[in-house]
Amino acid sequence: MRQYVLAVTALASALSYTGAANAEEDSKLVEPLAAYKSYVADNTEKLLENTTKFAEAIKAGDLAKAKSLFAPTRMNYEAVEPIAELFSDLDHTIDARADDFESKEKDAKFSGFHRIEYGLWRENSTKGLEPYADKLLVDVKDLNHRVENLTFPPEIVVGGASALMEEVAATKISGEEDRYSHTDLWDFKANFDGSQKIYELVKPLLAKDNADFVKKVDANFKVVDDTLGKYKTADGYELYDKLTEADRKILAAKVNALATDLSTLRGKLGLS
């Protein structure tokens, strides 16, 4: 039933959106938007399931388990980050960095994944993290609930694919996101998968008139995926502090090339 509601809501969102060049172009986006909304719903449901386990580990005082669940749990959130501006209030409480607050890590308003990350790795303890775990779970439940009635404007969805890759190359590549745990590569993989999902859903609309472009973007996605694959381990990915500066520059260059091409998607689809 939920998948049906999501599809109908996405259909209404697409048809009511006026940013496409004309009604015909607008209608072509209905199916991709419906499929993407289902993808987001699947990820937020999985995020809720995993966050529940993560919070339970913290409240049980199981430091090792909490650490092991941190990066995998975040992946479902990072996969839907292309549309984070649609729930910016929750993005701030779920995924804010210490830099966003006046007193950094000691600021009482600093919460979410990265506040918990700080406690688990820098303080090496679950002590005092219970309220943050409870708050994170409440916010994730809210996000999962909102998705059903969330409007997905095509411009934001399609534009989010390139914007996220640009963010990875411009700022995340420094290691600033998961600065305490160094689990950045899990995030990069989820960001990559989330952007690729959007591209794959709209690709059939591009193939006829933009064959060379599609071929180039496909190749760029493969290059980035292969590069990330070099750091894959049995348990996930290498810790980011193990990568050399040269490794990071190579990764940034490849992500930048992909982001540059993705930045033209909106124009090619007739979106402003």
Side-chain angles (χ1 to χ4, degrees):
M1 176 61 74
R2 190 178 191 217
Q3 294 302 313
Y4 172 77
V5 172
L6 288 169
V8 171
T9 306
L11 172 64
S13 299
L15 292 178
S16 65
Y17 183 73
T18 58
N22 53 59
E24 181 181 357
E25 290 301 315
D26 200 8
S27 65
K28 290 179 181 178
L29 291 165
V30 170
E31 187 175 344
L33 285 175
Y36 182 66
K37 192 162 190 176
S38 293
Y39 170 82
V40 171
D42 288 344
N43 272 279
T44 58
E45 286 184 349
K46 187 66 175 176
L47 174 65
L48 177 55
E49 177 185 334
N50 290 339
T51 302
T52 299
K53 296 175 182 176
F54 181 52
E56 288 172 350
I58 291 169
K59 295 172 79 169
D62 193 335
L63 179 63
K65 185 174 182 180
K67 284 184 173 182
S68 71
L69 292 175
F70 175 77
T73 299
R74 280 179 53 74
M75 289 187 79
N76 292 109
Y77 186 78
E78 293 293 316
V80 302
E81 199 172 8
I83 57 162
E85 68 175 279
L86 298 179
F87 45 87
S88 58
D89 59 327
L90 289 177
D91 186 49
H92 180 71
T93 56
I94 290 173
D95 202 38
R97 274 70 134 186
D99 300 335
D100 298 327
F101 302 91
E102 184 177 356
S103 300
K104 307 292 183 178
E105 288 88 354
K106 303 304 180 183
D107 200 301
K109 295 180 181 179
F110 180 31
S111 64
F113 276 117
H114 295 302
R115 175 58 184 88
I116 294 171
E117 178 196 9
Y118 172 75
L120 295 178
W121 273 272
R122 285 292 174 86
E123 298 179 329
N124 202 38
S125 174
T126 61
K127 186 177 180 180
L129 297 181
E130 296 87 353
Y132 298 112
D134 286 339
K135 172 62 175 169
L136 177 63
L137 188 55
V138 167
D139 289 339
V140 168
K141 285 179 179 177
D142 188 4
L143 175 59
N144 186 53
H145 177 72
R146 285 191 200 183
V147 168
E148 189 165 301
N149 296 313
L150 198 63
T151 297
F152 280 50
E155 180 181 356
I156 290 177
V157 173
V158 175
S162 61
L164 184 56
M165 289 296 95
E166 289 168 0
E167 182 186 355
V168 171
T171 61
K172 291 189 176 187
I173 210 75
S174 69
E176 58 89 22
E177 172 119 25
D178 300 310
R179 65 191 68 173
Y180 319 112
S181 64
H182 305 300
T183 55
D184 304 81
L185 288 172
W186 278 262
D187 285 5
F188 295 173
K189 174 59 175 172
N191 292 161
F192 172 86
D193 288 347
S195 293
Q196 187 174 37
K197 181 64 177 183
I198 294 170
Y199 167 71
E200 290 294 339
L201 288 172
V202 301
K203 185 165 74 168
L205 305 180
L206 302 165
K208 181 180 178 181
D209 298 325
N210 300 276
D212 289 343
F213 172 77
V214 167
K215 184 177 180 180
K216 183 180 180 184
V217 176
D218 283 347
N220 281 339
F221 266 115
K222 186 178 186 308
V223 166
V224 175
D225 197 30
D226 288 347
T227 302
L228 288 172
K230 288 166 49 179
Y231 307 111
K232 192 166 178 57
T233 66
D235 299 322
Y237 289 88
E238 294 281 0
L239 294 181
Y240 199 54
D241 57 348
K242 291 186 177 180
L243 273 65
T244 66
E245 188 61 28
D247 291 331
R248 297 186 186 197
K249 286 182 178 179
I250 290 171
L251 181 57
K254 292 176 179 178
V255 173
N256 252 325
L258 176 60
T260 298
D261 285 338
L262 291 178
S263 68
T264 68
L265 273 181
R266 285 190 299 183
K268 293 182 184 298
L269 291 168
L271 301 170
S272 58

